[in-house]
Amino acid sequence: MNAKAAAAETPVSVPVRRPSALRKALAAPSARAVIGLAAFFAIWQALTSLGVIDGFMLPSPFAVASALVEMAVDGSLWTHLSASLVRVFIGFFLACAAGIALGLVCGWWRAVSDYVRPVVEALRPIPPLAWIPITILWFGLGDSASYFLVFLGAVFPAFVATYTAVRGLDRNQMNAALCLGATPRMLFFDVIIPASLPIVLPGLRIALGVGWMCVVTAELIAAQTGLGYLIQQSRMLFQINNVVAGMVTIGLVGFLMSAALERLERRVNAWAPSERN
């Protein structure tokens, strides 16, 4: 074999171009989220600076940031934010407990579902705003009314997600567990609940968003503290910067809470095919 033949048979190694550290950082979902938010605020600032949007009707991000800093320094922002967070947490927790429990029962026992689901489907389309008059009559103006409205808004998404998850379970999995000697307790905690989580947890994120809408609605009318109350008072005083600052606070806090739930969902459902990438 001559030298040319040996050279032709020798495999040629092609250098592999590895992505740079900057490209890896930009490919991360968190970096994309930051870039998306930054682009949104940059476009908003540009439109107000160029006069496309009236600065009084919709203040610029810099004006809103100044209002946020001012309210944070005097403590009013933290007072209203903490009040709203407590109401959301309590109402959301009660809604999750009731919605998940009722969804599990109705999903597992068809006879119970036949009695309960018509009631749920009749109450579910009623918007929380329609409940405010009777809520004030029952609970007065205070935190209890806000808890109840958040509960009403969040319980139905939690119930529907849980019921759908249980009804859609693969019966072969349960039959296999029973053939292997699983007790009812093992079947419930080791098969039904883990298999339902990929549908239940996204439903809870939807319920959390509805809970925030309900708490702001309640605070606009039936509260003396909270971000909704801050928005309403600022509107009456024509403090539009504070109005938008309250809205931005709700959006950012809701975004962070939803991201935390999504992170929990990815960790809990790491075995699911949709979470492997």
Side-chain angles (χ1 to χ4, degrees):
M1 182 179 296
N2 54 26
K4 289 185 178 181
E9 293 180 1
T10 303
V12 179
S13 60
V14 179
V16 179
R17 297 183 61 184
R18 296 182 178 180
S20 62
L22 178 60
R23 182 174 296 180
K24 288 183 178 180
L26 293 177
S30 57
R32 294 173 181 173
V34 172
I35 293 173
L37 288 173
F40 170 76
F41 286 115
I43 294 173
W44 178 7
Q45 179 66 40
L47 292 176
T48 52
S49 299
L50 296 174
V52 178
I53 297 177
D54 187 352
F56 176 78
M57 302 299 292
L58 181 62
S60 67
F62 286 142
V64 173
S66 300
L68 281 172
V69 171
E70 183 179 348
M71 289 189 292
V73 171
D74 63 27
S76 60
L77 177 64
W78 311 120
T79 300
H80 295 296
L81 177 59
S82 60
S84 295
L85 284 174
V86 169
R87 291 165 183 152
V88 169
F89 276 126
I90 293 178
F92 179 68
F93 175 78
L94 295 175
C96 289
I100 292 175
L102 193 60
L104 288 172
V105 171
C106 292
W108 186 250
W109 285 287
R110 181 63 179 271
V112 178
S113 172
D114 292 340
Y115 289 107
V116 175
R117 279 200 66 212
V119 178
V120 173
E121 294 302 325
L123 294 175
R124 189 163 63 93
I126 302 175
L129 187 61
W131 287 91
I132 288 180
I134 196 170
T135 301
I136 295 175
L137 181 63
W138 288 350
F139 300 102
L141 299 176
D143 291 339
S144 298
S146 300
Y147 302 154
F148 180 69
L149 288 174
V150 174
F151 171 83
L152 280 177
V155 69
F156 296 118
F159 168 81
V160 171
T162 307
Y163 174 82
T164 303
V166 176
R167 293 298 299 173
L169 291 179
D170 186 1
R171 298 291 171 176
N172 293 328
Q173 296 179 358
M174 292 181 281
N175 293 333
L178 292 173
C179 291
L180 294 173
T183 62
R185 178 183 177 85
M186 295 172 62
L187 183 66
F188 183 77
F189 287 101
D190 296 338
V191 178
I192 295 177
I193 291 182
S196 302
L197 289 178
I199 298 178
V200 173
L201 291 179
L204 296 185
R205 282 198 287 136
I206 296 174
L208 178 62
V210 177
W212 267 108
M213 290 188 287
C214 292
V215 77
V216 173
T217 302
E219 290 170 350
L220 286 171
I221 301 173
Q224 299 298 318
T225 55
L227 293 173
Y229 176 79
L230 169 66
I231 292 172
Q232 178 73 344
Q233 290 297 106
S234 301
R235 181 194 66 83
M236 296 175 64
L237 297 174
F238 291 97
Q239 296 175 341
I240 309 302
N241 291 358
N242 292 350
V243 171
V244 181
M247 295 168 61
V248 169
T249 303
I250 294 170
L252 291 178
V253 173
F255 170 79
L256 293 175
M257 293 177 68
S258 179
L261 277 179
E262 186 175 3
R263 187 177 184 85
L264 175 65
E265 178 185 339
R266 290 178 180 275
R267 182 177 295 273
V268 172
N269 296 333
W271 54 271
S274 60
E275 301 294 343
R276 290 175 187 169
N277 295 329

